[in-house]
């Protein structure tokens, strides 16, 4: 008898799923712009790689500072109001680029990015766990990977359009070209329109019973050891992903393979294109293969590809770096979904702690920028290598647990 296939999304949740998936594109766009701004600010302000990493540091500090307040807000007022507040903060931060451009102030740009980071924290704290709840537990990781695929689409569009806007064909003239506020103003207007839509839409709230032990006492979130390991693994993943994204353009330019303009195109169509494809394909595969096993295979792939980059094998290293985007694609949504597995009424609170993990986007670029300034850009890839090794250890642990429980 043919086994009945479990639907990715339950019928009554299809509209909320479609609406929430649109949000993943918006914050993917916001994140990927940073990778282009990093190189742009190095050129127009003549600052070091470590100093330019403040672009990532400021935005991801918004995650660290706002994650717990976002979780408390969503616990009290629900997912929809959390999404709306996040969109409003996102739109406000984007529009703050107008005075930043007017005064040509790096600090003003950084403050605007911090506000955007706070808004994205509310969005991701609400949307990520909510998507995992819109169907069967068995398809939670696959469902979140599918939604996060549109995050990858936003990541492609950002370097493509913003890179062409900010970098000219002549690297010597690129510093004088480009209005950095323009893409943010367009994005801010779009985000505020989306916020108005969510104000009028009702999202069903999903309730959980309080978790208790055999004696009837409430069970603490921190008694879930695999959640703690997942939190640490997600932090490590963010270090690996964001540090590579931040210095991809620097790496290929320093290797004299291309200029910054074409590097942004390769990042968009090459790296981030593979990243998006990896999520779509990964979501499909995980409907047939366990999320734990898929994570283990992909973690192994990232460790191997980053090793090839460190060996400095010329164009082979560039190909390996691009392949690494495909392997890392499923990591964030899969680790996130596995970390929330079985947490019940702790889900919203646990999500807020998981959303503190993007502070790895602060640590990674700063550390990689420092290593690049003091040694070489190639050796700096030791930072993401260590991060992916930690993810590999988590994946191996989760795979062994899943095998034992079957």
């Amino acid at each position: 008898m043919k086994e009945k296939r479990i639907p990715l999304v339950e019928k009554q949740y299809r509209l909320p799923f479609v609406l929430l998936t649109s949000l993943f594109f918006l914050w993917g766009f916001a994140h990927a712009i940073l990778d282009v701004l990093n190189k742009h600010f190095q050129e127009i302000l003549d600052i070091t790689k470590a100093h330019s990493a403040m672009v990532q540091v400021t935005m991801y500090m918004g995650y660290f500072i706002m994650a717990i307040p976002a979780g408390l807000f969503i616990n009290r007022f629900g997912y929809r109001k959390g999404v709306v507040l996040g969109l409003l903060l996102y739109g406000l931060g984007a529009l703050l680029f107008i005075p930043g451009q007017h005064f040509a102030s790096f600090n003003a740009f950084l403050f605007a990015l911090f506000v955007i980071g706070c808004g994205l924290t509310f969005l991701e704290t609400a949307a990520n766990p909510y998507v995992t709840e819109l169907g069967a537990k068995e398809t939670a990781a696959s469902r979140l990977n599918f939604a996060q695929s549109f995050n990858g689409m936003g990541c492609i569009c950002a370097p493509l359009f913003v890179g062409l806007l900010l970098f000219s064909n002549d690297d010597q003239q690129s510093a004088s070209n480009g209005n950095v506020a323009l893409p943010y103003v367009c994005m801010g207007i779009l985000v505020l329109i989306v916020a108005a839509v969510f104000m009028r839409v009702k999202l069903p709230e999903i309730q959980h019973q309080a978790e208790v032990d055999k004696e009837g006492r409430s069970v603490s979130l921190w008694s879930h050891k695999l959640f703690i390991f997942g939190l640490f693994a997600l932090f490590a993943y963010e270090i690996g992903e964001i540090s590579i994204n931040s210095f991809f353009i620097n790496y290929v330019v320093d290797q004299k393979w291309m200029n910054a303009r074409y590097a942004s195109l390769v990042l968009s169509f090459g790296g981030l294109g593979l990243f998006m494809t990896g999520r779509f394909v990964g979501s499909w595969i995980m409907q047939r293969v366990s999320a734990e096993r898929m994570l283990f295979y992909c973690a192994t792939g990232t460790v191997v590809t980053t090793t090839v980059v460190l060996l400095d094998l010329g164009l082979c290293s560039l190909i390996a770096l691009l392949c690494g985007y495909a392997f890392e694609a499923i990591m964030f949504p899969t680790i996130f979904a596995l970390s929330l597995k079985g947490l019940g009424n702790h889900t919203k609170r646990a999500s807020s702690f998981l959303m503190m993990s993007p502070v790895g986007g602060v640590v990674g670029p700063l550390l990689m920028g420092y290593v690049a300034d003091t040694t070489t850009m190639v050796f700096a890839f030791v930072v993401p290598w260590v991060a992916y090794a930690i993810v590999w250890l988590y994946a191996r642990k989760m795979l062994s647990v899943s095998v034992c429980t079957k």
Side-chain angles (χ1 to χ4, degrees):
M1 185 176 178
K2 189 177 180 181
E3 186 179 350
K4 186 177 179 182
R5 185 179 172 186
I6 302 173
L8 188 65
V9 182
E10 292 184 4
K11 188 175 181 180
Q12 67 269 32
Y13 295 137
R14 285 177 184 169
L15 179 59
F17 180 75
V18 170
L19 291 173
L20 287 168
T21 298
S22 70
L23 300 179
F24 286 82
F25 175 88
L26 292 176
W27 76 62
F29 196 95
H31 283 296
I33 285 183
L34 298 182
D35 308 325
V36 180
L37 285 183
N38 194 319
K39 179 64 176 174
H40 182 64
F41 283 135
Q42 287 174 36
E43 294 184 351
I44 65 173
L45 300 175
D46 192 26
I47 57 179
T48 65
K49 295 180 179 69
H51 191 188
S52 71
M54 286 301 296
V55 168
Q56 274 81 8
V57 169
T58 305
M59 184 162 170
Y60 288 108
M61 278 303 294
Y63 278 85
F64 185 74
I65 293 171
M66 197 57 65
I68 300 302
L72 294 172
F73 181 91
I74 292 165
N75 247 333
R76 181 170 181 179
F77 298 106
Y79 288 114
R80 186 182 67 85
K81 289 184 179 178
V83 167
V84 170
L85 180 56
L87 288 168
L88 292 175
L89 287 171
Y90 182 170
L92 173 63
L95 294 179
L96 284 175
F97 265 71
I98 297 175
Q101 178 76 30
H102 178 74
F103 294 107
S105 169
F106 186 52
N107 289 334
F109 287 134
L110 294 180
F111 177 73
L113 289 170
F114 175 77
V115 175
I116 292 174
C118 292
L120 293 178
T121 307
F122 275 88
L123 283 182
E124 296 194 47
T125 303
N128 281 309
Y130 193 64
V131 166
T132 67
E133 301 278 4
L134 300 179
K137 293 179 181 178
E138 294 84 354
T139 57
S142 177
R143 187 164 48 254
L144 186 54
N145 268 282
F146 181 79
Q148 287 269 2
S149 301
F150 293 88
N151 175 284
M153 192 177 294
C155 289
I156 290 177
C157 293
L160 174 60
F161 294 115
V162 182
L164 291 174
L165 181 66
L166 298 184
F167 297 127
S168 69
N169 282 313
D170 183 357
D171 283 341
Q172 299 299 320
Q173 295 178 356
S174 64
S176 62
N177 291 341
N179 183 338
V180 73
L182 180 59
Y184 275 96
V185 171
C186 295
M187 188 168 63
I189 294 171
L190 175 62
V191 165
L192 292 176
I193 293 172
V194 174
V197 172
F198 270 90
M199 286 178 184
R200 304 180 65 87
V201 172
K202 289 185 178 180
L203 296 179
E205 285 293 326
I206 298 170
Q207 303 296 330
H208 294 283
Q209 295 297 320
E211 185 181 8
V212 294
D213 59 19
K214 293 179 180 178
E215 286 75 33
R217 293 173 297 186
S218 61
V219 177
S220 167
L221 170 63
W222 303 109
S223 66
H224 295 270
K225 303 302 181 185
L226 290 178
F227 164 73
I228 297 173
F229 198 176
L231 178 61
F232 188 58
L234 205 59
F235 172 74
Y237 162 75
E238 291 285 358
I239 289 177
E241 185 213 7
I242 303 303
S243 58
I244 288 178
N245 286 348
S246 300
F247 292 105
F248 179 93
I249 295 176
N250 282 280
Y251 171 68
V252 297
V253 171
D254 285 2
Q255 295 292 91
K256 302 188 185 306
W257 290 325
M258 61 194 77
N259 61 24
R261 179 184 176 89
Y262 289 110
S264 70
L265 291 174
V266 172
L267 175 61
S268 180
F269 287 110
L272 298 176
L274 285 169
F275 186 83
M276 182 189 70
T277 303
R279 279 195 172 161
F280 276 118
V281 173
S283 175
W284 179 79
I285 292 175
M286 277 190 282
Q287 294 181 53
R288 295 154 179 82
V289 176
S290 71
E292 293 87 352
R293 189 170 298 279
M294 185 70 176
L295 179 62
F296 178 76
Y297 291 155
C298 289
T300 302
T302 55
V303 171
V304 171
T305 54
T306 311
T307 300
V308 174
V309 175
L310 280 168
L311 292 174
D312 196 13
L313 301 177
L315 287 176
C316 287
S317 293
L318 176 59
I319 293 169
L321 180 59
L322 292 172
C323 289
Y325 278 91
F327 285 120
E328 74 174 13
I330 61 98
M331 286 184 174
F332 181 90
T334 304
I335 297 171
F336 197 99
L338 292 175
S339 299
L340 293 179
K341 198 172 182 179
L343 294 184
N345 68 309
H346 295 305
T347 298
K348 290 179 182 177
R349 184 162 168 255
S351 175
S352 69
F353 284 110
L354 290 173
M355 286 319 305
M356 293 177 74
S357 65
V359 76
V362 175
V363 177
L366 276 179
L367 188 56
M368 194 169 178
Y370 174 77
V371 175
D373 286 334
T374 55
T375 58
T376 65
M377 192 68 246
V378 172
F379 185 73
F381 277 83
V382 72
V383 174
W385 187 92
V386 172
Y388 290 137
I390 293 171
V391 175
W392 183 86
L393 291 173
Y394 172 75
R396 189 179 70 169
K397 175 64 176 177
M398 294 304 296
L399 181 59
S400 65
V401 170
S402 69
V403 170
C404 292
T405 54
K406 283 183 179 178

